Amino acid sequence: MGRNYKIGVIKGDGIGPEIVDEAVKVLDALSANMGFNLEYKEMLLGGAAIDETGVPLPQETIQGAKQCDAVLFGAIGGPKWDNLERHLRPESGLLGIRKEMGTFANLRPAIVYDELVNASTLKPNVVKGVDIMVVRELTGGIYFGQPRELLEDRAYNTMIYTKEEVIRIAKVAFEIAMKRDKRICSVDKANVLEVSQLWRETVEEVAKDYPEVELTHMYVDNAAMQLIREPKQFDVILTGNIFGDILSDAASMLSGSIGLLPSASTGLGVGIYEPIHGSAPDIAGQGIANPLATISSASMMLRYALGENEAADKIDEAIKKSLAKGYRTGDLSAYDAVEICSCSEIGDIIANYVCR
Ligand code: NAD
């Protein structure tokens, strides 16, 4: 009997279906060759779910996702649903499923491929060799804090972290650092915010269990600057929800295109694997989206959720090879392109390479 895995597939909106189809194409090519079997279960989330069921996160999706070994997700959202009330918008479906699945840890690698050093807006000598893992707390902080309210003449949100929440995300970061260069930079705003003071003290406590890991602290404003000034100083960045949201997008641009970077949201149960970008409504349906971030997310899924490291390595190598050969989607067309490819052509190329 081969290894059998149940994969939840959430295509979502905009370019979501296009990019997820390419990742599934690559996974199918791999599983056929590597002795494991993937059973897919498609589920609705975001705008597609609103259109079909009236809500952005149907109960069926929550239940279905919890029964899978991992969830592969595209992206949600778009102008069609922008005028709905906040709790009915696609984005609240995404926040909701993360909370439901207990995916409190968002892992976002920011890697600069040697083949694309010219694609970055920064100088090649600044970005060449960048390999950062941003570990972002995903289910707490100001995005979820209560009370929150929008009144006529004022509005407020609450930034809150419990010690327990900080301990569990810090542990994830230290475990990852142990498998990398053993350096963590914890990012906060402890000079201004009490919640950051607790964050810093707690991370220091967790660090005592990992004496091999070098821990430093940085204020978020400085971290934003340092990411642009000298990104190679970072190995693992550990930070809260809102700071991580902003810093990981900034880090993503080191690589040249938001269409390249994957993420994993893991934690208490089934993990969600998704590109860091949104649904790109401006290019949806044109077949020009870059599927590499989603294909790379499928690689993270194989590695972190299924333990299929060899298969994950094959995807990572295939991506590098296709970039080295000069195959590019439009977002990267200006950088050493030999051939401009559609979204599905890139999927074909990677699927072909992983079989070799
Ligand atoms: P976006 O990431 O969708 O797009 C930003 C820019 O990057 C656009 O010009 C887009 O064309 C380009 N881009 C993004 N992914 C690309 C890819 N794979 N290949 C080539 N180009 C790509 O961000 P946005 O425009 O701010 O948001 C659009 C919608 O996506 C909004 O409704 C937003 O709420 C939603 N969103 C969803 C997620 C998610 O599902 N995780 C994340 C962010 C934004």
Side-chain angles (χ1 to χ4, degrees):
M1 268 282 282
R3 284 104 59 210
N4 292 305
Y5 305 110
K6 197 165 177 186
I7 308 299
V9 174
I10 300 177
K11 295 184 176 180
D13 312 316
I15 60 170
E18 303 164 44
I19 53 180
V20 170
D21 282 348
E22 298 316 310
V24 169
K25 187 191 281 176
V26 172
L27 285 170
D28 282 342
L30 263 173
S31 61
N33 270 273
M34 298 202 64
F36 59 86
N37 183 45
L38 300 174
E39 182 196 330
Y40 302 106
K41 181 177 171 51
E42 261 198 58
M43 291 169 297
L44 293 171
L45 183 76
I50 295 169
D51 289 352
E52 190 87 4
T53 69
V55 292
L57 176 56
Q59 274 303 319
E60 214 181 332
T61 297
I62 300 172
Q63 297 313 328
K66 284 183 177 169
Q67 285 159 15
C68 292
D69 294 301
V71 173
L72 182 67
F73 167 56
I76 48 90
K80 183 178 174 191
W81 306 280
D82 273 354
N83 294 324
L84 295 172
E85 275 181 63
R86 182 158 305 281
H87 71 284
L88 288 174
R89 285 179 53 152
E91 292 79 1
S92 61
L94 183 55
L95 293 182
I97 195 163
R98 287 172 177 165
K99 193 87 183 171
E100 284 285 343
M101 307 292 278
T103 53
F104 63 82
N106 186 225
L107 318 183
R108 290 194 181 196
I111 298 162
V112 176
Y113 293 104
D114 281 355
E115 295 76 15
L116 288 176
V117 283
N118 293 320
S120 175
T121 48
L122 299 186
K123 292 186 182 128
N125 66 322
V126 175
V127 294
K128 190 167 190 303
V130 161
D131 180 359
I132 301 169
M133 179 68 90
V134 180
V135 179
R136 165 188 169 198
E137 201 291 330
L138 199 60
T139 54
I142 196 162
Y143 292 169
F144 291 93
Q146 297 288 347
R148 58 191 295 160
E149 199 167 5
L150 173 60
L151 300 166
E152 192 97 331
D153 62 342
R154 83 194 72 167
Y156 55 88
N157 292 88
T158 304
M159 191 163 183
I160 180 164
Y161 270 116
T162 64
K163 208 166 163 156
E164 195 191 333
E165 284 174 318
V166 183
I167 289 172
R168 67 183 188 180
I169 188 69
K171 280 186 176 165
V172 170
F174 277 94
E175 290 295 332
I176 286 173
M178 286 297 288
K179 294 184 192 132
R180 295 174 49 102
D181 203 28
K182 300 192 173 66
R183 290 184 294 120
I184 292 185
C185 178
S186 173
V187 173
D188 60 37
K189 192 69 183 167
N191 51 342
V192 180
L193 301 173
E194 284 76 7
V195 64
S196 281
Q197 248 173 285
L198 178 89
W199 177 281
R200 194 175 275 220
E201 287 163 16
T202 309
V203 173
E204 284 285 347
E205 280 173 31
V206 174
K208 289 184 187 138
D209 292 334
Y210 299 87
E212 286 172 60
V213 178
E214 178 195 307
L215 171 66
T216 53
H217 301 276
M218 200 178 272
Y219 298 135
V220 62
D221 40 350
N222 187 24
M225 184 181 80
Q226 295 297 336
L227 261 179
I228 309 302
R229 195 184 73 86
E230 199 197 333
K232 273 180 270 191
Q233 71 185 282
F234 296 107
D235 177 29
V236 173
I237 293 178
L238 162 64
T239 192
N241 205 344
I242 187 167
F243 299 154
D245 193 3
I246 298 162
L247 290 181
S248 53
D249 266 23
S252 74
M253 271 322 289
L254 301 171
S255 77
S257 171
I258 198 167
L260 286 172
L261 296 174
S263 80
S265 304
T266 66
L268 302 177
V270 180
I272 304 173
Y273 297 81
E274 55 179 301
I276 71 160
H277 58 73
S279 60
D282 52 335
I283 57 166
Q286 298 175 33
I288 59 171
N290 187 342
L292 289 181
T294 315
I295 294 173
S296 203
S297 303
S299 159
M300 286 187 92
M301 179 181 85
L302 290 167
R303 195 180 302 283
Y304 292 103
L306 311 183
E308 295 287 349
N309 293 350
E310 201 185 325
D313 289 345
K314 277 187 180 280
I315 293 185
D316 297 351
E317 283 156 24
I319 290 174
K320 282 190 193 139
K321 193 165 162 189
S322 79
L323 292 172
K325 294 262 185 198
Y327 297 119
R328 306 274 189 271
T329 38
D331 50 320
L332 296 170
S333 60
Y335 309 103
D336 307 318
V338 173
E339 194 178 327
I340 307 301
C341 303
S342 67
C343 181
S344 113
E345 283 166 345
I346 292 286
D348 290 341
I349 290 165
I350 306 289
N352 183 17
Y353 283 164
V354 295
C355 292
R356 289 190 188 168

